[in-house]
Amino acid sequence: MQSVPRFSDMPYERPTPEDINNKAQKLISAWDGAVTVAEQTAIIQQWDDNTAEYETNHMLAQVHFQQRTTDPDAKEEQVFFDNLNPVVLENNLSFLKRVTTTPNRKALEEQLGSQAFALWDCFLGTFAPEISELSRQESKLRTEYSELLAGLEIPFQGETYNLSSMRGFYGNKDRSVRLGAQQAKAHAMESIAPELDRIYDDLVKVRHEMATTLGYDTFTPLGYRRMDRTDYDDSNVEQFRKQVREVVVPLAQRIYARRAESLGIPDFKFHDESVRDHSGVPCPDGDHDWMLERATEMFDTLGDDFGSFFRMMADTELLDLKSRPGKSGGGFCADIPRYGVPFIFANFNGTQDDVNVFTHECGHAFQNWSSRDQPLLAYHWPTTEAAEIHSMSLEFLTYPHMEQFFGDDAERFRTGHLEAAILFLPYGCAVDEFQHRVYENPSMTPDERAAVWSELESVYLPQRQYVDMPVYDSGRLWQAQRHIYGMPFYYIDYCLAQTCALQMWHAASIDRESAMTRYRALCKLGGSMPFTQLLSAVGLANPFDDGCLETVCDAARETLGL
Ligand code: ZN
């Protein structure tokens, strides 16, 4: 791997389709002539190096565009890569088909690990030329959904907002403000509900047809393959949701009851759910530069490896955290494989979210950095349910340092964060079970789907009561959940990872040093194993096993004094 220049000095080169094809063809011919395992291993490594170089340029183009969305040159590079995608996909299909069916497969798996082969099998099981028209339709519908939501205008208090700028109001201390804000959002969502029903109906039908064309009975197994799930299926996930219904839902009801009590609200409603007490949300004590200084101190205290990692990130411009005009919203962590380094993108807004987003993305980044010596690019990140363990765990593992950011409010921050982690699980499971029910019965009407959502709300979110929000009463709150449209079956990954992160929190409360050692070990393993194997490698309980949630919920109940 090359030494790391500053981000702004990283050379970017636009690859040509001819160059990509030539390189791919050369390796495919070499593969066809290769006989020994050593020859084949070398070809796979070369393919991996070519992919790393391509991905580096792709990532640089993407980040440049996110940093400067109004720059036409940056946009042109981004579009260029979008158009290049089919060329790369075709070459990958052709090469990986050969690799996965070679008689030497077993010996190659011993050299490179079997996880890459399992992932390649997944990839090959989700594509075929016969579904390319359906894939086009699916991505058109996704875009239609995103555009509809992005363009939604929400009039509130004499101004016009969009879905993300409304967020700040839902936790407002003034009850009438948060009620008004939720009603304004619901009203706007109602105006596009028929369109959203139609788009989802089309998406479900397109996805079902893709699945049956590829030989699956329903979309569910195809959706699992698209998520690279190689070691569990929908029955395991139902086992997990059952635990959430039995153990987490009752705890969540106690958290809400206490909130109602501390707010002095006898009639606790939907718009009160995200408010803990009258003191409002804790805020960090300083601005961006102050936060970076505190973060540097925090990482130094976490250990030399964390400290040097974080200084490397800061010194080479791999942190872009400030909001500014023209910069795209949101936060993410990307990797730049040519140098084996991650890149963190965020938009600080001066609230506790900054600390959450920052520790979360640093968790992803530290994992990626720790996995940089893994033999294949496929192992630099784990599959998504495992990837979120590193990020969510670091949010918990940095608890003892929160005084640096929040001063006297640190304890309130920790309690609020822990409660939010618990409260998320029932909602996440409702989103997941909804999708299972939908794809099992693809001929349901939009009204029948809405009835399923209402039924699931009564199971997972029994406290829920809307005040004058007819679109939610009709069972359509899920329409604002982007993953349901854009990334089917993704959502449960957050719940599975949160369950593991809660175990890390619990472990750290008993023996911090040993928890940190296990965390580092998990980061180093990267994506070299599937989800459940990663867990057993570092002694975390499997969320699909009975009793897993009971232990962490007991610990949380005790800490929260419930
Ligand atoms: Zn994440």
Side-chain angles (χ1 to χ4, degrees):
M1 225 158 297
Q2 307 180 20
S3 68
V4 189
R6 286 172 184 274
F7 183 75
S8 54
D9 293 333
M10 288 181 184
Y12 164 77
E13 198 184 335
R14 181 198 266 209
T16 66
E18 297 74 41
D19 188 36
I20 290 175
N21 279 330
N22 287 342
K23 280 186 180 157
Q25 279 316 315
K26 210 177 124 197
L27 287 178
I28 289 171
S29 309
W31 178 272
D32 289 341
V35 183
T36 66
V37 172
E39 285 168 330
Q40 289 180 325
T41 306
I43 295 169
I44 293 174
Q45 293 287 3
Q46 185 58 51
W47 187 277
D48 211 54
D49 289 347
N50 291 354
T51 307
E53 187 50 29
Y54 171 82
E55 286 303 334
T56 296
N57 285 312
H58 188 188
M59 195 49 73
L60 290 172
Q62 278 182 333
V63 174
H64 293 155
F65 176 64
Q66 302 288 329
Q67 289 180 319
R68 307 188 296 268
T69 55
T70 50
D71 177 348
D73 293 341
K75 176 148 194 182
E76 194 189 313
E77 293 306 310
Q78 157 100 349
V79 172
F80 174 81
F81 270 98
D82 288 348
N83 294 332
L84 213 51
N85 225 356
V87 178
V88 175
L89 187 71
E90 192 114 329
N91 288 326
N92 277 334
L93 284 172
S94 160
F95 181 66
L96 294 175
K97 239 177 236 161
R98 287 167 160 82
V99 172
T100 50
T101 54
T102 171
N104 290 339
R105 175 165 169 158
K106 214 167 169 281
L108 285 167
E109 287 191 19
E110 274 162 26
Q111 293 273 318
L112 299 165
S114 53
Q115 172 67 355
F117 286 81
L119 293 171
W120 294 334
D121 285 339
C122 266
F123 168 71
L124 292 168
T126 60
F127 285 105
E130 301 83 67
I131 64 158
S132 44
E133 177 48 33
L134 292 165
S135 297
R136 255 192 297 278
Q137 286 178 34
E138 187 191 20
S139 82
K140 197 169 152 259
L141 288 161
R142 276 176 173 152
T143 309
E144 218 183 317
Y145 172 80
S146 305
E147 287 177 355
L148 200 54
L149 252 63
L152 193 66
E153 294 190 340
I154 307 173
F156 182 58
Q157 292 182 334
E159 306 268 347
T160 303
Y161 295 89
N162 61 25
L163 280 168
S164 50
S165 56
M166 278 300 286
R167 266 193 220 130
F169 294 109
Y170 306 142
N172 197 287
K173 281 194 258 183
D174 183 337
R175 197 180 189 204
S176 66
V177 171
R178 52 183 195 259
L179 172 63
Q182 290 287 5
Q183 286 173 334
K185 176 185 170 186
H187 193 72
M189 288 301 293
E190 190 171 5
S191 70
I192 54 169
E195 274 295 275
L196 295 177
D197 271 343
R198 196 262 311 154
I199 294 172
Y200 195 54
D201 198 52
D202 288 350
L203 271 172
V204 170
K205 295 203 159 89
V206 164
R207 286 173 180 154
H208 184 71
E209 198 184 332
M210 276 178 167
T212 52
T213 308
L214 290 171
Y216 301 96
D217 290 337
T218 66
F219 176 72
T220 307
L222 173 59
Y224 273 55
R225 277 204 151 198
R226 296 198 331 183
M227 291 302 305
D228 289 329
R229 293 173 186 167
T230 57
D231 54 337
Y232 60 94
D233 62 20
D234 52 342
S235 66
N236 299 113
V237 175
E238 164 50 23
Q239 197 56 34
F240 173 74
R241 292 194 307 256
K242 181 169 168 275
Q243 293 182 63
V244 170
R245 292 193 294 271
E246 290 173 357
V247 182
V248 184
V249 172
L251 176 56
Q253 300 314 298
R254 289 163 84 156
I255 294 173
Y256 287 128
R258 185 163 71 182
R259 289 187 177 187
E261 203 180 307
S262 64
L263 289 166
I265 295 173
D267 58 334
F268 189 78
K269 304 287 189 204
F270 169 60
H271 55 278
D272 302 314
E273 286 179 13
S274 50
V275 187
R276 289 193 58 237
D277 53 36
H278 287 295
S279 320
V281 191
C283 281
D285 289 335
D287 63 4
H288 169 273
D289 296 352
W290 179 89
M291 290 262 297
L292 275 195
E293 283 167 28
R294 300 292 79 72
T296 310
E297 289 166 15
M298 175 176 83
F299 282 110
D300 281 342
T301 325
L302 281 176
D304 289 347
D305 47 354
F306 280 97
S308 59
F309 154 75
F310 190 72
R311 282 166 201 277
M312 180 280 295
M313 294 290 287
D315 293 346
T316 49
E317 304 168 355
L318 294 168
L319 304 167
D320 181 355
L321 311 171
K322 266 186 195 168
S323 266
R324 58 178 179 270
K327 181 175 166 180
S328 135
F332 61 84
C333 174
D335 74 327
I336 308 172
R338 188 194 291 150
Y339 310 105
V341 292
F343 180 92
I344 297 180
F345 182 95
N347 279 278
F348 278 4
N349 61 12
T351 70
Q352 64 170 359
D353 287 351
D354 293 352
V355 178
N356 286 333
V357 169
F358 184 64
T359 52
H360 182 99
E361 300 305 339
C362 279
H364 284 306
F366 185 72
Q367 176 268 304
N368 181 258
W369 168 251
S370 305
S371 312
R372 66 193 183 283
D373 294 326
Q374 285 286 344
L376 292 171
L377 200 54
Y379 299 157
H380 285 202
W381 298 111
T383 47
T384 44
E385 77 292 74
E388 294 301 334
I389 305 175
H390 311 94
S391 51
M392 291 175 159
S393 293
L394 197 62
E395 294 178 37
F396 288 113
L397 293 172
T398 50
Y399 269 10
H401 304 276
M402 287 301 114
E403 267 75 7
Q404 282 163 271
F405 295 92
F406 295 104
D408 292 345
D409 256 353
E411 188 55 27
R412 283 182 59 239
F413 170 82
R414 286 188 284 263
T415 312
H417 181 272
L418 180 59
E419 286 186 1
I422 300 285
L423 294 178
F424 172 71
L425 295 174
Y427 172 73
C429 285
V431 169
D432 182 64
E433 187 165 340
F434 175 71
Q435 297 179 81
H436 282 85
R437 298 270 291 272
V438 165
Y439 291 112
E440 270 156 38
N441 306 286
S443 56
M444 271 197 285
T445 64
D447 282 340
E448 285 168 337
R449 288 188 198 114
V452 168
W453 176 261
S454 293
E455 181 198 323
L456 294 171
E457 272 191 350
S458 67
V459 173
Y460 288 99
L461 307 159
Q463 80 288 348
R464 190 147 283 188
Q465 289 178 47
Y466 303 109
V467 178
D468 294 330
M469 300 171 205
V471 69
Y472 297 163
D473 279 320
S474 83
R476 285 178 171 80
L477 178 106
W478 58 272
Q479 291 189 326
Q481 190 59 59
R482 292 163 198 269
H483 301 70
I484 294 179
Y485 286 78
M487 289 175 280
F489 295 120
Y490 188 114
Y491 214 62
I492 198 69
D493 287 3
Y494 296 116
C495 300
L496 297 171
Q498 189 71 276
T499 303
C500 301
L502 281 161
Q503 291 182 54
M504 279 287 186
W505 160 75
H506 183 215
S509 70
I510 297 165
D511 181 347
R512 187 165 167 83
E513 263 322 295
S514 128
M516 290 303 295
T517 305
R518 287 158 71 192
Y519 179 74
R520 287 182 169 97
L522 186 66
C523 288
K524 276 211 173 69
L525 286 170
S528 61
M529 298 173 182
F531 177 57
T532 54
Q533 279 181 34
L534 286 171
L535 301 184
S536 34
V538 297
L540 288 171
N542 183 336
F544 306 128
D545 289 346
D546 261 343
C548 174
L549 272 165
E550 214 166 327
T551 313
V552 286
C553 280
D554 281 346
R557 189 178 294 126
E558 205 184 303
T559 301
L560 296 171
L562 285 163

